[in-house]
Amino acid sequence: MLTVTAIKADVGSIGGHTEPSRRMIEVSIERLKRARDERLVTDFDVTHTGDDICLLMVHPHGSSEPQIHDLAWSIFLEAAEVARGQGLYGAGQDLLVD
């Protein structure tokens, strides 16, 4: 059985709430390619709606698999770091700290 997991976050954008930078999307794709090579996910897509990056991941691990959620979290952290480095608006704004 396969699970489709979609997780989104606003971790920074160009010109206010418009869209993530190309590099933020590229970093997300690169990380998911590695996860596919490591067989954590079987397929994926990275999209955005406005400034929210959406990670669509297909995997055999079920809906509550911590590894999938940890993967998404680490990708969003990395994309936020790119946004900070690029001086983009709202870098990391959807990432809660606790």
Side-chain angles (χ1 to χ4, degrees), residues 1-4 42 58-62:
M1 179 168 75
L2 292 176
T3 301
V4 177
T42 58
V58 180
H59 56 89
H61 306 294

Side-chain angles (χ1 to χ4, degrees), residues 27-94:
V27 162
S28 301
I29 291 169
E30 289 167 7
R31 290 290 309 282
L32 285 168
K33 282 182 179 177
R34 277 189 269 157
R36 185 182 58 201
D37 291 346
E38 295 166 0
R39 299 186 188 273
L40 181 58
V41 300
T42 58
D43 204 0
F44 68 88
D45 196 13
V46 176
T47 61
H48 73 90
T49 301
D51 57 354
D52 289 2
I53 293 176
C54 181
L55 309 176
L56 182 69
M57 300 166 283
V58 180
H59 56 89
H61 306 294
S63 62
S64 297
E65 175 57 44
Q67 285 184 300
I68 296 298
H69 293 270
D70 290 347
L71 173 64
W73 177 255
S74 68
I75 290 171
F76 291 140
L77 287 174
E78 193 168 339
E81 202 51 45
V82 169
R84 277 188 205 90
Q86 293 179 324
L88 300 183
Y89 176 83
Q93 74 179 28
D94 275 1

